Amino acid sequence: MSKFLPQKKKLLEDVYEKASNEATESSFNGILLHLEQILKDEHESLSYKTFENYYKTIVEKEEDYNIKKSILDNLCQYLGYDTFKDYCSEWKTIEYTIQHTISKIVITIINKPILAMPEFMKQNGFGMVEVTFVILLLTGNYAFSNTQGKNQNQEKSTVLGFFGSSEPVKEKKCMYWDKFEYKIADCEDDRPYLDLKPVNFKLLKYFKKINRKDTLTVDNALGKTWYSKYNGNVEFFTMDGVDPETGKELDQSTNHMILKYAGVQEE
């Protein structure tokens, strides 16, 4: 199995989910055509057919597909991350990798009367004792979480030696505005210029300031963007809410605002 296959699979699922929430079409092709247009307007171009090949191979067939790093970075930027490396560093990707790995172990054990160890376990030096320990760890943790839900907001500790650390891992439950988007942060981050607020995953994922107003037209922005006007300056956003820099409630973009303040402006 490719080293980054689970991460690429999760990335494609996240990109497709975001595009499906934004697109007016509900069909698979309609969603991919919407994604193609958004990537062309705001990021780097990627044809819908290419993304379809990635999706059907990696997500549906669970087979690896060689995707260039620049394309992975481009898709991650669509989700609000700087690079694929940043995307992979998030706890949700680590958790997804564990779940994906454990599912492969369980499937192998169930389908073969003689317990055949998955190849990737052999390559990483896992014996049957370690495999059993991992399965018991995950299933035991699931049962414990169902009976101890009230402790979910406490700091989680890593398993000794399993990830090479015995230090507690703090959940990042705050976020801050970073010029064009919200970024997740540790609530104990004491840097004085950070205006921390409780994390809102919807805002974190979908609320962005549009930094290329010249790409907006009535066709692609009407009904899909919002704006803030302050001291004669107009900024456009991808979602309704409040301008983090001025505190003003956003208004939905109109023909007049798009034509006057967006698009290619005359000198």
Side-chain angles (χ1 to χ4, degrees), residues 127-140:
M128 286 309 301
V129 174
E130 287 84 354
V131 172
T132 304
F133 171 72
V134 172
I135 295 174
L136 291 176
L137 172 67
L138 266 293
T139 55

Side-chain angles (χ1 to χ4, degrees), residues 53-65:
N53 290 337
Y54 295 159
Y55 191 91
K56 289 188 174 181
T57 301
I58 296 176
V59 176
E60 296 181 359
K61 297 181 181 179
E62 294 194 345
E63 298 175 358
D64 197 13
Y65 196 115

Side-chain angles (χ1 to χ4, degrees), residues 169-184:
V169 177
K170 297 180 180 179
E171 289 185 282
K172 294 183 177 181
K173 295 182 179 179
C174 286
M175 65 182 187
Y176 65 95
W177 181 250
D178 186 28
K179 296 183 181 179
F180 294 100
E181 63 185 359
Y182 283 107
K183 291 191 175 180
I184 199 163

